[in-house]
Amino acid sequence: MLPKNPIIGLCQQASFLISAAKVDQCPEDSGLEVAFAGRSNAGKSSALNTLTHASLARTSKTPGRTQLLNFFRLDDERRLVDLPGYGYAKVPIPLKQHWQKHLEAYLGSRESLCGLVLMMDIRHPLTEFDQMMLDWSVASGMPLHILLTKADKLAFGAAKNALLKVRQDIRKQWGEGISIQLFSAPKRMGVEEAQMVLAGWLDLLPEEDEESAEA
């Protein structure tokens, strides 16, 4: 049984902080923040809302609505960041280029960034964008945790097989350092596991609990 996670209390008081179109509009680069990334249709906003027990991120039936870096305050030293959704075909090319430019600038310059949660639709994993994020994570030494979202769309056995296959592919190409799990926002599948990862990155766990979260 997982120990009670201190991040839950922080999430209950989480609040919107600011939206930024460019890196120079971001909050002061201090403390710790975890960013959430994923293709526009990977269920990123739903996952963020489920993990925080709050309606922080705006969800939409039209993918591609997250066009800014959206910052959410947990406390004076900790933040979550909803990154622009990427790769939706109906978004105009200039806007895609703007997103990519400022996403890369954020990832490359943000000193307070301590971890990246990457959402992949379990039915369409390891897209070109996903592989780009994995490449960047390994090259920069940034901790990365993958949520295979929409796991409820598959039978449990098929979902487990998909998890094993993606984990095997990632280890083969990107090594052992990337963690991965099944996740479903509607079914609340994998919520506690993901929250333990967040708490570890945000320095909220005693050392013995951090070791169990990483195991």
Side-chain angles (χ1 to χ4, degrees):
M1 183 176 175
L2 293 172
K4 182 170 174 58
N5 192 332
I7 201 172
I8 295 173
L10 288 184
C11 287
Q12 290 172 344
Q13 62 188 33
S15 60
F16 173 76
L17 186 60
I18 194 172
S19 291
K22 302 176 182 178
V23 173
D24 59 12
Q25 298 171 349
C26 293
E28 181 182 349
D29 193 1
S30 63
L32 297 169
E33 63 191 30
V34 172
F36 288 71
R39 282 180 59 89
S40 298
N41 55 355
K44 178 167 57 68
S45 295
S46 295
L48 181 56
N49 288 338
T50 301
L51 287 170
T52 58
H53 303 283
S55 297
L56 294 180
R58 186 174 66 168
T59 58
S60 172
K61 293 183 183 297
T62 305
R65 287 288 176 86
T66 305
Q67 301 175 9
L68 302 167
L69 298 159
N70 293 309
F71 290 80
F72 303 98
R73 178 188 181 277
L74 296 179
D75 62 18
D76 289 342
E77 296 297 322
R78 297 173 177 88
R79 296 171 299 277
L80 302 179
V81 190
D82 190 11
L83 300 180
Y86 187 90
Y88 188 59
K90 293 183 181 179
V91 173
I93 294 293
L95 186 55
K96 285 185 183 178
Q97 292 171 340
H98 171 85
W99 289 355
Q100 185 169 3
K101 174 184 174 183
H102 293 293
L103 180 59
E104 289 174 355
Y106 168 81
L107 292 173
S109 67
R110 197 72 175 164
E111 293 291 333
S112 53
L113 182 63
C114 62
L116 188 66
V117 180
L118 178 61
M119 263 65 63
M120 297 184 194
D121 185 328
I122 193 169
R123 301 162 300 176
H124 313 288
L126 293 173
T127 64
E128 183 179 356
F129 170 76
D130 298 331
Q131 294 181 50
M132 181 180 76
M133 297 303 291
L134 286 159
D135 287 342
W136 176 83
S137 170
V138 171
S140 63
M142 178 62 62
L144 187 144
H145 183 67
I146 295 170
L147 302 183
L148 285 181
T149 61
K150 307 185 182 182
D152 58 293
K153 301 290 186 183
L154 300 180
F156 184 71
K160 292 291 282 187
N161 288 337
L163 172 65
L164 293 173
K165 173 69 165 60
V166 176
R167 179 181 283 144
Q168 184 179 45
D169 291 345
I170 287 172
R171 284 179 174 170
K172 189 180 299 182
Q173 189 164 347
W174 291 280
E176 300 282 339
I178 293 162
S179 52
I180 184 171
Q181 66 165 100
L182 296 177
F183 190 86
S184 166
K187 302 292 187 184
R188 298 192 58 79
M189 178 195 300
V191 170
E192 291 186 359
E193 183 180 350
Q195 286 174 333
M196 287 296 288
V197 173
L198 294 179
W201 288 346
L202 291 169
D203 198 22
L204 289 166
L205 297 179
E207 286 187 19
E208 61 269 21
D209 288 347
E210 286 188 16
E211 291 173 4
S212 65
E214 293 169 1

